[in-house]
Amino acid sequence: MIRVVIPYHLRTLVGVNGEVKLEIEGPVTQRAVLDALEARYPALRGTIRDRVTGKRRAFVRFFACEQDLSHDPPDNPLPDEVAAGKEPFLVIGAIAGG
Amino acid sequence: MSKVRVLVGTRKGAFILTSDGKRENWDVNGPFFGGWEIYHVKGSPVDPNRLYASLAGGWFGQVVQRSDDGGQTWEPVGNEFAYDGVPGTHQWYDGSQHPWEFKRVWHFEPSLTDPDLVYAGVEDAALFRSADGGKTWQEVSGLRQHPSGASWQPGAGGMCLHTILLDPRDSNRIYVAISAAGAFRTDDGGETWRPINHGLHSDFMPNPDAEVGHCVHRIALHPARPNTLFMQKHWDIMRSDDAGDSWREVSGNVPSDFGFPIAVHAHEPETIYVVPIKSDSEHYPPDAKLRVYRSRSGGQEWEALTHGLPQKNCYVNVLREAMAVDTLDQCGVYFGTTGGQVYVSPDSGDTWTAIVHDLPSVVAVEVQTLP
């Protein structure tokens, strides 16, 4: 069971309270987690990753286990603690805008 | 008794203001989508409870919300706006070519006859169409594929398609306006388009009379006389009586012919409204007085409407989407400001009152007249 935390505005968009829990088959990667998240909540498509390029939106960051994973290749394995459900995968709205 | 419902988009959420036909006492509901920038909220003329809202922001991109109960509840619908084919490039600020990239929806225009059909004007400038109530979107690509497309360039607010007018007498005729490309018209339901900018003069262009490149801020028409168009250009208030084939200036005696919105009275096709703004670098009213100007002669001769509006120390702006009229017998006129006020005049502009004073900066105002 993978634990995912999404930002407040995306939680309200899809009506989620607290963490999202996802079952993922195969390697636990950024791409696999986000694919599963968007499959559960289609309204999130385009809000975390660009619709056309599939790339992370500029003001969104991915954190886990006190690491910034935003610039990691999307098919890299996530930390073991995330894969084991001990730590959440955090989708963060970057501090921006003054 | 008739009611009005005012749909307000702001920098930090949407608000719905309702009143009876007197338009004296108002209920304020919202914010809906608090924290999101709301570029536009508009209802279907066929089914007034069907509303579309454009949520856009730097963090999470574009979301389209739809309501089927007049704004009480909302659900996200489709937000995939994929350009048709290989998008190609348009002109960038520095004159180089830049890939066409979808950024946001500026404007929804629901069909006059079908509640599930709605058009969307987007940045980078293109027209999209949904036939399923916003669930899926297809580009009306004949517009962007006009031979002039590669020469279109963004205005200060981005390269946005911000105005869509549907001809009530001819479903194949649609007008759009793009900053900064100009106005375009189709007569075949969107297959082919042509620029309709003859008579516009823009000194900021190398050729001030060029076919495209004009920064058109808004176009309006009266449904009973759809061949007559009124335009607020970056500078200049313009009029066409031949469906945009030719334009003439009707700025007349306004204190500044720079501005953003323009609106037509619901029952008087020759009565029009603008809000003069001092200049393109000073986005506030001349003399710090917030004045709507009304012409009852279709332009050229204008009168200042000031009763109830601040006449000193006023430095707000009124954006292009932020003015609308209702269709009650005594036509109501509405506008919102970047200072967060939404004003109503229940008497065609003679007197004004603020429905609300302190909303977030207002981007868009639409009005529905309900039975």
Side-chain angles (χ1 to χ4, degrees):
Chain A
M1 186 76 72
I2 308 299
R3 298 160 54 200
V4 181
V5 175
I6 60 176
Y8 168 77
H9 288 302
L10 297 186
R11 291 202 303 274
T12 58
L13 176 66
V14 295
V16 165
N17 291 313
E19 294 181 353
V20 177
K21 294 183 171 57
L22 300 169
E23 293 285 358
I24 292 179
E25 295 182 4
V28 177
T29 63
Q30 274 185 28
R31 190 191 308 278
V33 169
L34 295 173
D35 285 350
L37 182 67
E38 291 175 356
R40 170 87 64 86
Y41 301 109
L44 293 179
R45 290 180 182 148
T47 64
I48 298 171
R49 297 183 290 186
D50 183 89
R51 274 278 196 180
V52 175
T53 65
K55 292 181 178 175
R56 173 181 52 81
R57 294 185 57 78
F59 291 164
V60 172
R61 289 289 186 273
F62 304 138
F63 294 172
C65 304
E66 300 184 349
Q67 300 174 58
D68 183 355
L69 309 176
S70 305
H71 299 287
D72 287 6
D75 294 318
N76 275 13
L78 291 174
D80 291 343
E81 292 87 344
V82 173
K86 294 178 182 173
E87 289 288 334
F89 179 73
L90 306 174
V91 179
I92 304 293
I95 302 299
Chain B
M1 186 182 191
S2 296
K3 297 184 296 186
V4 291
R5 183 160 60 206
V6 183
L7 309 173
V8 183
T10 80
R11 295 283 182 210
K12 290 296 178 187
F15 296 82
I16 297 180
L17 321 175
T18 53
S19 179
D20 61 21
K22 292 182 179 176
R23 293 155 291 184
E24 292 174 354
N25 300 309
W26 292 85
D27 290 324
V28 179
N29 290 294
F32 301 91
F33 327 119
W36 290 80
E37 190 164 6
I38 311 299
Y39 270 71
H40 199 211
V41 186
K42 190 153 189 178
S44 162
V46 186
D47 175 6
N49 281 331
R50 166 68 62 85
L51 309 180
Y52 298 94
S54 172
L55 289 60
W59 285 273
F60 308 119
Q62 177 70 50
V63 170
V64 179
Q65 295 268 6
R66 191 181 97 186
S67 174
D68 290 322
D69 55 14
Q72 295 179 58
T73 61
W74 296 82
E75 62 168 343
V77 287
N79 66 346
E80 184 167 17
F81 293 86
Y83 294 111
D84 192 19
V86 177
T89 60
H90 61 80
Q91 195 174 173
W92 197 233
Y93 294 100
D94 61 2
S96 64
Q97 286 292 299
H98 190 83
W100 235 280
E101 296 169 333
F102 171 80
K103 295 185 179 65
R104 58 181 64 87
V105 174
W106 278 68
H107 183 95
F108 289 119
E109 193 62 39
S111 160
L112 303 173
T113 56
D114 178 353
D116 283 329
L117 177 61
V118 55
Y119 291 91
V122 313
E123 177 188 353
D124 287 338
L127 182 67
F128 282 79
R129 177 184 190 274
S130 173
D132 55 12
K135 292 177 183 171
T136 62
W137 298 91
Q138 296 79 41
E139 188 188 4
V140 181
S141 56
L143 171 64
R144 198 171 48 84
Q145 291 167 2
H146 185 272
S148 67
S151 70
W152 301 355
Q153 58 186 325
M159 196 172 81
C160 51
L161 193 161
H162 50 68
T163 300
I164 305 169
L165 298 177
L166 306 177
D167 189 321
R169 294 184 181 174
D170 179 356
S171 61
N172 284 322
R173 174 169 282 185
I174 303 171
Y175 304 92
V176 301
I178 297 167
S179 292
F184 295 79
R185 189 182 83 208
T186 178
D187 293 322
D188 56 14
E191 288 290 313
T192 60
W193 296 77
R194 64 191 184 95
I196 49 167
N197 301 303
H198 184 69
L200 306 188
H201 183 89
S202 300
D203 284 331
F204 65 83
M205 294 161 52
N207 172 4
D209 303 309
E211 185 178 43
V212 299
H214 301 275
C215 192
V216 176
H217 284 180
R218 196 67 172 170
I219 305 175
L221 62 74
H222 190 282
R225 207 183 292 175
N227 280 356
T228 295
L229 303 175
F230 299 101
M231 173 191 293
Q232 173 67 65
K233 195 162 66 67
H234 192 87
W235 295 98
D236 301 336
I237 303 164
M238 308 295 294
R239 172 185 180 130
S240 170
D241 289 300
D242 52 14
D245 287 342
S246 64
W247 297 87
R248 69 179 193 276
E249 186 176 358
V250 292
S251 303
N253 61 326
V254 290
S256 168
D257 59 15
F258 184 89
F260 291 96
I262 189 165
V264 186
H265 189 287
H267 313 300
E268 301 171 13
E270 290 292 309
T271 297
I272 55 179
Y273 302 88
V274 295
V275 183
I277 295 297
K278 187 176 178 188
S279 75
D280 50 3
S281 62
E282 301 156 291
H283 278 185
Y284 46 75
D287 305 318
K289 299 176 180 179
L290 184 55
R291 291 167 289 186
V292 175
Y293 273 72
R294 177 175 63 194
S295 171
R296 292 194 181 278
S297 54
Q300 207 60 34
E301 297 162 352
W302 299 85
E303 58 179 323
L305 308 175
T306 62
H307 194 277
L309 299 176
Q311 295 305 296
K312 62 179 182 180
N313 301 327
C314 183
Y315 293 94
V316 298
N317 193 4
V318 180
L319 300 181
R320 75 184 85 229
E321 288 279 21
M323 183 178 239
V325 298
D326 68 33
T327 58
L328 292 174
D329 289 345
Q330 179 76 290
C331 176
V333 188
Y334 305 76
F335 70 93
T337 77
T338 55
Q341 300 86 33
V342 178
Y343 289 99
V344 56
S345 170
D347 50 15
S348 302
D350 291 341
T351 62
W352 298 86
T353 55
I355 303 172
V356 281
H357 295 270
D358 301 306
L359 297 187
S361 182
V362 174
V363 178
V365 173
E366 293 285 355
V367 186
Q368 296 180 288
T369 308
L370 306 173

